[in-house]
Amino acid sequence: MEIQEWAGLLGHWSSGEGPMYRLLAESLQRLILRGEIPAGTQLPAERHFAQLLAVSRTTVQSAYDLLRKEEWVESRTGSGTWVRPVSGARSWQRGDTFFGSLKRSSMFDPLLRREQSLVDLSMPGSGDPKGIPYNAYSLPEHEIARLLEQQGYAPYGLPALRQAIANRYTQEGLPTTEDQILVTSGAQQAISLVASLYLQRGDNVLIENPTFVGAIDAFRAMGSRLVPVPIEGARLRVELLPGLVKAHIPQLIYVTPTCQNPTGVVYSEDDRRELVRVAAEHRVPLLEDNTRFDLVLKGPDPSFLAAYAEDAPVITVGSMSKLFWAGLRVGWLRAPQPVIARLARLKIVADLGTSLIPQAIAVRLFDHMDAIKARRREELLESLALMTDLMQEHLPTWMWSPPAGGPFLWVQLPWPDAQEFAQMALRHGTLVTPGITMSVDGSHTSYLRLPYFLDRELLHEGVTRLSEAWAAFTSLAGTERQLAGVVV
């Protein structure tokens, strides 16, 4: 296991109470118990582990000593510290080692562990149900009665919702019929269904770098190899695509062309055309993740990729979460009808069909789409202005480019390893996402993804804590390391 992977595996180990060495030992013990650190694994060297976790070497030494005392690990002369086999009395609690490879699992740890004291700057606010009348989130009795008359299983989705989605695409310049729509339980399921349809173990996927963590997990869960296509200078390097396609023969291309996650980039029309041309020429399915399509900050909405060529193998992902509310869990796929039919068979295996009541509510929400879209744009611009002021005041050495859309800042630190700083931020009660988490190839180590679409008080508190953590971190760097080329 690479040293950088250990921080992601440990997650929020230092957010509890008690001595640091005990928190570290207990976290490693839990990972060993669940099988996420298998027997026979060599623990990192004390000095390197201490640097990664932004703690003293004594902290790591004491944690290892405690684990040795309790017989979780053993020392081997000249070769470090190794994990011992877990006894049968403990093994029943183990999980599958597969979960340790999922990047997204650690991002959702606060939800699982209910860590209320943390300021969560790993994810943005996602819609606001107070933005429209509450009755839009309820159903009148006659609609409930009509739903109850049905069997309850609708693998393709509620017909009224499929038609509403199709109408929306048509209004926005992409003619679409109901049979080109499959409703899913959120965008994550949509991506996973496409991965299941097109990918087998060992297949290659061309994917933006950096990109959406959920997509990385979905493709790697299928055993795929991810081939990065870099995002540089506020654009995808589409000119590299023909060579990458010929060299790697991908079975899928994945992009988020509008309000790219995490950079906030919006692809230009020329880059969109070239992307579709390459996919069409080589008949490679192109998965267009448009979950943040409605969050462009200025100017008109761009065109959907599928609008550039009717016969191109384009599959489009959409969602209610980013514009309305994440808790709604209603997403969809738009694709040619034969593709939708195959995806629906996989959907049946997954869950027989998305719950009908959220779908019926989603139909009502479509009536508010334009008003909420305008409201979101105003809110995003106001939040971005506030975040910009806060960052310039408290963290002036950090660098970023204003996003064209979406809820994130893609921030570069004046330090080569943001993962180390994330550990210090955690000890100051703030959760952040290091750029390496969003990376396909272990790059972007000096970056953080920071949301700015949050409550004003939360932004103030979060940036203040980050500033305090940065001061502590650079002080530590000044005494234990050389902060080469950086004036703080």
Side-chain angles (χ1 to χ4, degrees):
M1 189 184 305
E2 297 293 331
I3 184 66
Q4 293 85 359
E5 297 178 55
W6 284 89
L9 192 62
L10 284 166
H12 316 133
W13 68 274
S14 63
S15 61
E17 297 182 358
M20 295 292 290
Y21 79 91
R22 183 171 291 278
L23 292 175
L24 178 57
E26 290 173 351
S27 182
L28 289 169
Q29 176 186 322
R30 285 192 296 270
L31 291 168
I32 295 169
L33 192 61
R34 295 201 301 261
E36 295 181 43
I37 302 179
T41 298
Q42 184 180 17
L43 297 183
E46 293 170 355
R47 179 172 62 84
H48 295 147
F49 210 15
Q51 180 176 331
L52 176 69
L53 301 179
V55 297
S56 69
R57 186 172 179 177
T58 302
T59 297
V60 178
Q61 288 175 334
S62 298
Y64 284 8
D65 287 344
L66 183 58
L67 290 171
R68 278 191 288 268
K69 180 180 179 181
E70 297 183 358
E71 299 184 346
W72 292 95
V73 302
E74 62 185 6
S75 295
R76 300 178 186 175
T77 303
S79 63
T81 303
W82 298 76
V83 176
R84 299 184 61 183
V86 177
S87 67
R90 301 183 228 155
S91 62
W92 69 274
Q93 297 183 53
R94 282 183 137 184
D96 194 299
T97 56
F98 163 75
F99 294 107
S101 68
L102 297 183
K103 290 189 171 188
R104 222 175 180 207
S105 60
S106 64
M107 295 175 64
F108 283 88
D109 277 355
L111 301 180
L112 299 175
R113 294 168 60 180
R114 302 183 183 275
E115 297 173 275
Q116 301 297 332
S117 62
L118 281 177
V119 172
D120 188 353
L121 296 184
S122 66
M123 292 183 288
S126 184
D128 179 2
K130 298 178 182 177
I132 59 177
Y134 282 123
N135 61 12
Y137 289 88
S138 61
L139 296 176
E141 289 187 8
H142 70 275
E143 288 192 27
I144 295 176
R146 191 159 56 237
L147 285 176
L148 292 176
E149 291 173 357
Q150 301 182 32
Q151 182 185 33
Y153 300 121
Y156 283 95
L158 195 65
L161 178 57
R162 297 174 70 205
Q163 188 60 61
I165 296 168
N167 291 345
R168 188 72 186 183
Y169 278 118
T170 301
Q171 293 166 11
E172 294 178 346
L174 180 60
T176 302
T177 58
E178 178 185 330
D179 63 2
Q180 292 178 274
I181 301 296
L182 174 70
V183 178
T184 61
S185 299
Q188 184 66 41
Q189 186 188 54
I191 294 170
S192 296
L193 289 175
V194 173
S196 297
L197 179 62
Y198 287 108
L199 301 177
Q200 298 179 16
R201 182 167 296 278
D203 284 343
N204 290 328
V205 177
L206 294 190
I207 185 170
E208 306 161 320
N209 192 36
T211 194
F212 172 48
V213 175
I216 294 176
D217 282 347
F219 302 143
R220 284 185 173 160
M222 297 302 299
S224 300
R225 292 190 289 261
L226 305 186
V227 180
V229 185
I231 291 180
E232 297 175 356
R235 61 180 293 267
L236 182 74
R237 293 285 302 282
V238 292
E239 68 274 12
L240 301 178
L241 285 172
L244 289 172
V245 169
K246 291 179 182 178
H248 297 281
I249 314 177
Q251 300 303 306
L252 187 67
I253 300 173
Y254 172 83
V255 292
T256 54
T258 305
C259 307
Q260 200 269 343
N261 181 5
T263 65
V265 165
V266 175
Y267 291 11
S268 69
E269 183 175 346
D270 288 344
D271 287 348
R272 290 168 187 262
R273 288 186 184 279
E274 175 63 9
L275 182 56
V276 173
R277 185 196 68 77
V278 172
E281 178 181 339
H282 296 275
R283 303 308 298 171
V284 182
L286 176 58
L287 182 56
E288 173 189 21
D289 185 343
N290 265 332
T291 52
R292 290 182 169 84
F293 180 84
D294 296 304
L295 303 184
V296 176
L297 293 177
K298 296 180 181 179
D301 292 335
S303 297
F304 297 102
L305 296 184
Y308 289 101
E310 291 185 3
D311 60 343
V314 178
I315 304 167
T316 303
V317 178
S319 172
M320 304 291 288
S321 297
K322 306 305 180 287
L323 196 58
F324 291 96
W325 182 43
L328 199 58
R329 308 311 306 143
V330 173
W332 59 82
L333 288 161
R334 182 208 179 271
Q337 190 278 328
V339 175
I340 290 297
R342 296 199 296 273
L343 288 166
R345 291 182 177 274
L346 293 173
K347 169 76 171 168
I348 290 173
V349 174
D351 61 8
L352 296 177
T354 298
S355 176
L356 295 185
I357 291 179
Q359 291 188 64
I361 292 172
V363 174
R364 294 165 61 82
L365 292 177
F366 264 82
D367 293 336
H368 301 270
M369 185 79 75
D370 291 331
I372 292 299
K373 185 172 180 177
R375 175 191 174 101
R376 291 289 172 262
R377 177 176 291 190
E378 292 179 3
E379 292 172 339
L380 284 165
L381 288 170
E382 290 175 1
S383 293
L384 179 58
L386 174 60
M387 186 65 159
T388 299
D389 290 343
L390 290 171
M391 295 284 284
Q392 289 175 346
E393 177 183 355
H394 294 281
L395 296 161
T397 61
W398 293 15
M399 298 178 294
W400 73 93
S401 297
F408 300 114
L409 296 184
W410 186 234
V411 178
Q412 186 172 20
L413 305 187
W415 176 258
D417 195 337
Q419 204 166 33
E420 291 181 26
F421 170 70
Q423 294 294 318
M424 183 64 76
L426 185 60
R427 293 207 291 280
H428 282 75
T430 307
L431 181 65
V432 293
T433 302
I436 194 172
T437 305
M438 322 293 293
S439 174
V440 176
D441 58 0
S443 58
H444 303 94
T445 56
S446 63
Y447 285 83
L448 291 177
R449 189 192 71 175
L450 292 179
Y452 64 86
F453 185 44
L454 293 168
D455 176 80
R456 293 178 66 88
E457 292 184 4
L458 190 61
L459 280 182
H460 277 279
E461 180 65 21
V463 174
T464 298
R465 292 190 187 188
L466 287 181
S467 178
E468 294 169 353
W470 182 245
F473 183 75
T474 52
S475 175
L476 178 66
T479 57
E480 296 189 6
R481 312 181 186 94
Q482 288 185 345
L483 194 55
V486 177
V487 179
V488 180

